[in-house]
Coordinates of all heavy atoms in Angstrom, one line a residue:
L71 N -0.3 3.3 2.0 CA 0.7 2.2 1.9 C 0.5 1.3 3.0 O 0.6 1.6 4.2 CB 2.1 2.9 1.9 CG 3.3 2.0 1.9 CD1 3.3 1.1 0.7 CD2 4.7 2.6 2.2
V72 N 0.3 0.0 2.7 CA 0.2 -1.0 3.7 C 1.3 -2.0 3.7 O 1.5 -2.6 2.5 CB -1.2 -1.7 3.5 CG1 -1.5 -2.8 4.7 CG2 -2.4 -0.8 3.3
V73 N 1.9 -2.2 4.8 CA 3.1 -3.1 4.9 C 3.0 -3.9 6.2 O 2.3 -3.4 7.1 CB 4.5 -2.5 4.7 CG1 4.6 -1.9 3.4 CG2 4.6 -1.5 5.9
D74 N 3.6 -5.1 6.2 CA 3.5 -5.8 7.5 C 4.8 -5.4 8.2 O 5.8 -4.8 7.5 CB 3.5 -7.2 7.4 CG 4.9 -7.9 7.0 OD1 5.4 -7.5 6.0 OD2 5.2 -8.8 7.6
A75 N 4.9 -5.5 9.6 CA 6.1 -5.1 10.4 C 6.3 -6.2 11.4 O 6.4 -5.7 12.6 CB 5.9 -3.7 10.8
I76 N 6.2 -7.4 11.1 CA 6.5 -8.4 12.2 C 8.0 -8.2 12.6 O 8.3 -8.3 13.8 CB 6.3 -9.8 11.5 CG1 4.9 -10.0 11.1 CG2 6.7 -10.9 12.5 CD1 3.9 -10.0 12.2
H77 N 8.9 -8.1 11.7 CA 10.3 -7.9 12.0 C 10.6 -6.4 11.9 O 9.7 -5.6 11.8 CB 11.2 -8.7 11.1 CG 10.8 -10.2 11.1 ND1 11.2 -11.0 12.3 CD2 10.2 -11.0 10.3 CE1 10.7 -12.2 12.0 NE2 10.2 -12.3 10.8
H78 N 11.8 -6.0 12.1 CA 12.2 -4.7 11.8 C 12.1 -4.3 10.2 O 12.5 -5.1 9.4 CB 13.6 -4.4 12.2 CG 13.8 -4.6 13.6 ND1 13.6 -3.6 14.5 CD2 14.3 -5.6 14.4 CE1 13.9 -4.1 15.7 NE2 14.3 -5.3 15.7
V79 N 11.4 -3.4 9.9 CA 11.3 -2.9 8.5 C 11.9 -1.5 8.5 O 11.4 -0.6 9.2 CB 9.9 -2.9 8.0 CG1 9.7 -2.3 6.6 CG2 9.3 -4.3 8.0
Y80 N 12.9 -1.3 7.5 CA 13.3 0.1 7.4 C 13.1 0.5 5.9 O 13.5 -0.2 4.9 CB 14.9 0.1 7.6 CG 15.3 0.1 9.1 CD1 15.3 -1.2 9.8 CD2 15.6 1.1 9.8 CE1 15.7 -1.3 11.1 CE2 15.9 1.2 11.1 CZ 15.9 0.0 11.7 OH 16.3 -0.2 13.1
I81 N 12.6 1.8 5.7 CA 12.2 2.2 4.5 C 12.8 3.6 4.4 O 12.8 4.4 5.4 CB 10.7 2.5 4.4 CG1 9.9 1.2 4.6 CG2 10.3 3.1 3.0 CD1 8.4 1.3 4.7
D82 N 13.5 3.8 3.3 CA 14.1 5.2 3.1 C 13.4 6.1 2.2 O 13.6 7.3 2.3 CB 15.6 5.1 2.8 CG 15.9 4.7 1.4 OD1 15.0 4.0 0.8 OD2 17.0 4.9 0.9
E83 N 12.6 5.6 1.4 CA 11.8 6.5 0.5 C 10.5 5.7 -0.1 O 10.5 4.5 -0.4 CB 12.8 6.9 -0.6 CG 12.2 8.2 -1.3 CD 12.3 9.5 -0.4 OE1 13.0 9.5 0.6 OE2 11.5 10.3 -0.6
F84 N 9.5 6.6 -0.3 CA 8.3 6.1 -0.9 C 8.0 7.1 -2.0 O 7.8 8.3 -1.8 CB 7.1 6.0 0.1 CG 5.8 5.7 -0.6 CD1 5.6 4.5 -1.3 CD2 4.8 6.7 -0.6 CE1 4.3 4.2 -1.9 CE2 3.5 6.4 -1.2 CZ 3.3 5.2 -1.8
E85 N 8.0 6.7 -3.3 CA 7.7 7.5 -4.4 C 6.3 7.2 -5.0 O 6.0 6.0 -5.3 CB 8.7 7.6 -5.4 CG 10.0 8.2 -4.9 CD 11.1 8.2 -6.1 OE1 10.8 8.8 -7.2 OE2 12.1 7.6 -5.9
L86 N 5.5 8.1 -5.4 CA 4.2 7.9 -6.1 C 4.3 8.6 -7.4 O 4.7 9.6 -7.6 CB 3.1 8.5 -5.2 CG 1.7 8.2 -5.5 CD1 1.4 6.6 -5.3 CD2 0.8 8.9 -4.7
F87 N 3.9 7.9 -8.4 CA 4.0 8.4 -9.8 C 2.6 8.7 -10.3 O 1.7 8.0 -10.1 CB 4.7 7.3 -10.7 CG 6.0 7.0 -10.2 CD1 6.3 5.6 -9.9 CD2 7.0 7.9 -9.9 CE1 7.6 5.3 -9.3 CE2 8.2 7.6 -9.6 CZ 8.5 6.3 -9.2
G88 N 2.5 9.6 -11.1 CA 1.2 10.1 -11.9 C 1.4 11.4 -12.4 O 2.4 12.0 -12.6
C89 N 0.2 12.0 -12.5 CA 0.2 13.4 -13.1 C -1.0 14.2 -12.5 O -1.8 13.6 -11.7 CB 0.0 13.3 -14.6 SG -1.5 12.6 -15.2
T90 N -1.1 15.5 -12.7 CA -2.1 16.3 -12.1 C -3.4 16.4 -13.0 O -4.4 16.8 -12.5 CB -1.6 17.8 -11.8 OG1 -1.1 18.3 -13.0 CG2 -0.5 17.7 -10.8
D91 N -3.3 16.0 -14.2 CA -4.4 16.0 -15.1 C -5.4 14.7 -14.8 O -4.9 13.6 -15.1 CB -4.0 16.0 -16.6 CG -5.1 16.0 -17.6 OD1 -6.2 16.2 -17.1 OD2 -4.9 15.9 -18.8
V92 N -6.5 15.0 -14.3 CA -7.3 13.9 -14.0 C -8.5 13.7 -14.9 O -9.4 12.8 -14.7 CB -8.0 13.9 -12.5 CG1 -6.8 13.9 -11.4 CG2 -8.7 15.3 -12.4
S93 N -8.5 14.4 -16.0 CA -9.6 14.3 -17.1 C -9.6 13.0 -17.6 O -8.6 12.4 -18.0 CB -9.4 15.4 -18.0 OG -8.2 15.4 -18.6
G94 N -10.7 12.3 -17.5 CA -10.9 10.9 -18.1 C -10.4 9.8 -17.2 O -10.5 8.7 -17.7
V95 N -9.9 10.1 -16.0 CA -9.4 9.1 -15.3 C -10.5 8.7 -14.2 O -11.2 9.5 -13.7 CB -8.2 9.6 -14.4 CG1 -7.7 8.6 -13.4 CG2 -7.1 10.0 -15.4
R96 N -10.6 7.4 -13.9 CA -11.7 6.9 -13.1 C -11.4 7.1 -11.6 O -10.3 7.2 -11.2 CB -12.0 5.5 -13.4 CG -10.8 4.5 -12.9 CD -11.2 3.0 -13.0 NE -10.1 2.2 -12.4 CZ -10.1 1.9 -11.2 NH1 -11.0 2.4 -10.4 NH2 -9.1 1.1 -10.8
A97 N -12.5 7.2 -10.8 CA -12.4 7.3 -9.5 C -12.3 5.9 -8.7 O -12.7 4.9 -9.4 CB -13.6 8.1 -8.9
P98 N -11.7 5.8 -7.7 CA -11.6 4.4 -7.1 C -12.9 3.9 -6.6 O -13.9 4.7 -6.4 CB -10.9 4.8 -5.8 CG -10.0 6.1 -6.0 CD -11.0 6.9 -7.0
I99 N -13.1 2.7 -6.8 CA -14.3 1.9 -6.4 C -14.0 1.2 -5.1 O -12.9 0.7 -4.9 CB -14.9 1.1 -7.5 CG1 -13.8 0.0 -7.9 CG2 -15.4 1.8 -8.6 CD1 -14.3 -1.0 -8.7
G100 N -14.8 1.3 -4.1 CA -14.7 0.5 -2.9 C -14.5 -0.9 -3.1 O -15.1 -1.5 -4.0
D101 N -13.7 -1.6 -2.3 CA -13.5 -3.0 -2.3 C -13.6 -3.5 -0.9 O -13.4 -2.9 0.0 CB -12.2 -3.5 -3.2 CG -10.9 -3.0 -2.4 OD1 -10.9 -2.9 -1.2 OD2 -10.1 -2.7 -3.2
D102 N -13.9 -4.8 -0.8 CA -13.9 -5.5 0.5 C -12.8 -6.3 0.8 O -12.8 -7.2 1.7 CB -15.2 -6.4 0.5 CG -15.2 -7.5 -0.5 OD1 -14.3 -7.5 -1.4 OD2 -16.2 -8.2 -0.5
K103 N -11.7 -5.9 0.1 CA -10.4 -6.6 0.6 C -9.9 -6.3 1.9 O -9.9 -5.2 2.2 CB -9.2 -6.3 -0.5 CG -9.6 -7.0 -1.8 CD -8.4 -6.6 -2.8 CE -8.6 -7.3 -4.1 NZ -7.5 -7.0 -5.0
P104 N -9.5 -7.2 2.7 CA -8.9 -6.9 4.1 C -7.7 -6.0 3.9 O -6.9 -6.2 3.1 CB -8.7 -8.3 4.7 CG -8.5 -9.1 3.6 CD -9.4 -8.7 2.4
I105 N -7.6 -5.1 4.8 CA -6.4 -4.1 4.6 C -5.1 -5.0 5.1 O -4.1 -4.9 4.2 CB -6.6 -2.9 5.7 CG1 -7.7 -2.1 5.2 CG2 -5.2 -2.2 5.7 CD1 -8.0 -0.9 6.0
F106 N -5.2 -5.7 6.2 CA -3.9 -6.5 6.6 C -4.1 -8.0 6.1 O -5.2 -8.5 6.2 CB -3.8 -6.5 8.2 CG -3.6 -5.1 8.7 CD1 -4.6 -4.4 9.3 CD2 -2.4 -4.5 8.4 CE1 -4.4 -3.1 9.7 CE2 -2.1 -3.2 8.9 CZ -3.0 -2.4 9.6
N107 N -3.0 -8.5 5.8 CA -3.0 -9.9 5.6 C -2.8 -10.8 6.9 O -2.2 -10.3 7.8 CB -1.7 -10.2 4.7 CG -2.0 -9.9 3.2 OD1 -2.8 -9.2 2.9 ND2 -1.1 -10.3 2.3
E108 N -3.4 -11.9 6.9 CA -3.2 -12.8 8.0 C -2.3 -14.0 7.6 O -2.5 -14.5 6.6 CB -4.5 -13.3 8.5 CG -5.5 -12.3 9.0 CD -5.0 -11.5 10.2 OE1 -4.3 -12.1 11.0 OE2 -5.4 -10.3 10.4
F109 N -1.3 -14.2 8.5 CA -0.4 -15.3 8.2 C -0.6 -16.4 9.3 O -0.9 -16.0 10.5 CB 1.0 -14.9 8.3 CG 1.4 -14.0 7.2 CD1 1.3 -12.6 7.2 CD2 1.7 -14.6 5.9 CE1 1.7 -11.8 6.1 CE2 2.1 -13.8 4.8 CZ 2.1 -12.4 4.9
P110 N -0.5 -17.6 9.0 CA -0.7 -18.7 10.1 C 0.4 -18.6 11.1 O 1.5 -18.1 10.9 CB -0.5 -20.1 9.3 CG 0.2 -19.6 8.0 CD -0.2 -18.2 7.6
S111 N 0.1 -19.0 12.3 CA 1.1 -19.0 13.5 C 2.0 -20.0 13.1 O 1.8 -21.0 12.5 CB 0.3 -19.4 14.8 OG -0.6 -18.4 15.0

């Protein structure tokens, strides 16, 4: 989970949805997207 924290960030819960059956489900492919976003000053 990637978030910015320039100011105060309060999170009370993170839920992930899915199932345990992985048959027929694709594996992740690598990407070259930057992890963090850059904002102008």
